[in-house]
Amino acid sequence: MQSFLEFEKPVAQLQARIEELRAAGGACSADIEDEVSQLEAKSHELLVRTYANLTPWQKTQVARHPRRPHFADLVAHGFEDFVPLAGDRAFADDQAILGGFARLQGRRIMLIGHEKGHDTQSRVRHNFGMAKPEGYRKAIRLMDLAGRFGLPVVTLVDTSGAFPGVEAEERGQAEAIARCTEACLALPVPLVAAVVGEGGSGGAVALASADRVLMFEHAVYSVISPEGCASILWRTAEKAPDAAEAMKVGAKDLLQAGVIDRIVDEPLGGAHRDPVAAAVSMASAIAEELGALVGLAPSTLRRNREDRFLRIGG
Amino acid sequence: MSWLDRVRNTLPFLARREVPENLWIKCPRCDEMVFTREYAENLSVCPRCDHHGRIGADERLRQVLDEGFALLPTPAVREDPLKFRDQKRYTERLKQARAKSAHADAFVVAVGAIEGRPATVGVQDFGFMGGSMGLAVGAAFCAGADDALRNRRPYIVFTAAGGARMQEGILSLMQMPKTTVMVRRLREAGLPYIVVLTDPTTGGVTASYAMLGDVQIAEPGALIGFAGQRVIQETIREKLPENFQRAEYLLEHGMIDMVVKRSELRPTLARILDYLAPHTG
């Protein structure tokens, strides 16, 4: 079952009509066949037009789409031989951030990313992709491991933000994020980050302080959620669409600002309409970027990475 | 930006006098009326209940540094990069903040000495748009770190912020890795980086340079955390623990080294510097 977003209603109506006709038409009726193919062409064209002109708020909804490919889907279809590794060796294994060895087009890498889950049970297990300090500390441990064994690191960013909770604060959420950002910057191996869904605030940047930052066409990346921004500056979360617009959360604006380096196209109508194709194109874009970085001396990598962030906004 | 603003921005030391409007002030914690002069002489700490009041950058520098310190010029940055507008234009909010401040933004850097020990000191001013971190704060923090690196001085930073400056969007988020780059450089150069967390320090500031000090100090009662209390309450829907996200709570949970009263800050920093300051010969 395809689930439609609010702004896709016209497409949904056409699709419903097509279903109806198909059901009524039975085996062979030339007229109905004709109408169906006309409607399909129309629906296709409408989808193309809609997705070519998404507003920042609409993109936010696409980025949060429940069927959008998450870490597990991207790993399954874009990478090979994933060997999950667990735990921060201090407190727990946070399932909001997953990681482990993997191969990308044959190359051995360390793969780390947020996982949001896909149904109620898995969403609870992964805490909706909102990591706690132990998640960031696991990422730090895996980056350290990768650095010592010369494995390039790939991160897949997809979080509404770090978990806002009592126990997270108690165990040093802020410190864990700061150290994780620092671990990214200290890596002696290449680090390529991809914002694949939501890049929410400090919880995202902790995994995205990278040599190269890629972004899916309809992903969003921002300092605060549009709802959060709206409730502070407009004093009502209902102004979230305005906040998304004002903060310029979309990939094109971020590319222009030099915050990201490359936009990866999504299948027509968003990554959730064809997760396999989306995973394949993201993986091959990441592989290309990695290819340009491997072989650089650790000091060169670090210096370029530092300069990248010192330069932004300047 | 008008030429007047531009000139004013390049003259951060062009201080407007802070004239106390009232003879008495009311302590926000114990509600006691305190004679304004007595309050000021007590370093803006309530003499009755020891509440540490929020203070501006200039007052902080006067309290911490020996006489004769000098302000460093803060780098000019791109103003209003997003042409941001909510109910008000961002440029309008900046103008209002500057009208009330002696400085062009929320982070001020000075060079001087603490009981004779040379130091570069950065102070974040909560009074300026909630101390929020945007391009200007990030650039000023980095300028302070640069100064410390060039002159092989310790870098001491007083933090105070609601978080990132939303009006600069993702560019404010990018200040987190940017400032972290400079903290790493201080570390590599063997220079001490000391953080004093003041009330309040939250959000992206806490999750970057505010938590990366070699020694972490906090003022009594200071609110320090990543997420805002309202957000947490909405998430967990229970009462927050007593003292939650206060300096003493962080000390108890192993997140900072010490809670130090304002009156003890100078001698404490001096003692720590004696252990960590780079050898000058």
Side-chain angles (χ1 to χ4, degrees), chain A residues 162-166 169-175 177-179 181-182 185-186 201-202 205 209 221-224 229 232-234 246-248 254 259 302-303 306 309-310 312-314, chain B residues 78 82 84-87 135 164 166-167 169-174 176-178 180-182 184-185 187 206-208 211-212 225-227 231-232 235-236 240-241 244-245 249 253 255:
Chain A
F163 184 63
V166 172
E169 295 289 317
E170 212 168 77
R171 293 196 290 275
Q173 185 70 294
E175 196 260 1
I177 291 170
R179 297 273 173 216
T181 306
E182 194 186 5
L185 295 168
S201 190
V205 84
S209 300
Y221 190 10
S222 65
V223 65
I224 184 172
C229 179
I232 295 169
L233 293 181
W234 279 264
M247 288 197 296
K248 301 190 163 60
L254 298 173
V259 171
R302 275 200 209 102
R303 177 52 61 136
E306 288 179 359
F309 288 97
L310 292 176
I312 288 176
Chain B
R78 217 149 38 104
L82 302 190
F84 192 96
R85 162 171 218 165
D86 47 82
Q87 292 169 308
L135 288 169
M166 286 172 288
Q167 292 91 342
I170 194 84
L171 294 176
S172 63
L173 190 69
M174 292 298 116
M176 294 174 66
K178 181 175 177 171
T180 304
V181 166
M182 298 312 288
R184 274 181 38 74
R185 288 192 178 170
R187 190 169 306 164
T206 322
S208 56
M211 276 294 167
L212 294 174
F226 177 65
V231 178
I232 296 173
T235 313
I236 62 165
L240 296 174
F244 182 58
Q245 292 184 325
Y249 176 93
H253 285 92
M255 290 303 143

Side-chain angles (χ1 to χ4, degrees), chain B residues 61-198:
Chain B
L61 290 170
R62 280 196 301 272
Q63 285 185 10
V64 169
L65 286 166
D66 299 347
E67 260 178 63
F69 66 84
L71 290 180
L72 281 186
T74 44
V77 295
R78 217 149 38 104
E79 199 128 301
D80 191 16
L82 302 190
K83 307 270 168 272
F84 192 96
R85 162 171 218 165
D86 47 82
Q87 292 169 308
K88 229 184 246 174
R89 281 182 196 282
Y90 174 38
T91 49
E92 192 54 41
R93 286 185 194 268
L94 273 175
K95 210 184 281 174
Q96 285 175 347
R98 283 178 188 150
K100 286 189 289 177
S101 169
H103 304 283
D105 214 293
F107 199 99
V108 178
V109 185
V111 178
I114 298 171
E115 296 191 345
R117 286 90 172 160
T120 304
V121 177
V123 182
Q124 205 160 1
D125 193 343
F126 188 75
F128 193 105
M129 291 191 75
S132 56
M133 173 172 65
L135 288 169
V137 167
F141 176 93
C142 292
D146 257 331
D147 178 80
L149 284 163
R150 263 199 318 276
N151 299 292
R152 294 205 55 77
R153 275 194 284 255
Y155 192 28
I156 300 171
V157 170
F158 291 80
T159 63
R165 185 148 324 153
M166 286 172 288
Q167 292 91 342
E168 295 184 17
I170 194 84
L171 294 176
S172 63
L173 190 69
M174 292 298 116
Q175 304 312 304
M176 294 174 66
K178 181 175 177 171
T179 53
T180 304
V181 166
M182 298 312 288
V183 174
R184 274 181 38 74
R185 288 192 178 170
L186 290 166
R187 190 169 306 164
E188 277 169 6
L191 296 171
Y193 168 56
I194 299 170
V195 175
V196 183
L197 299 148
T198 74

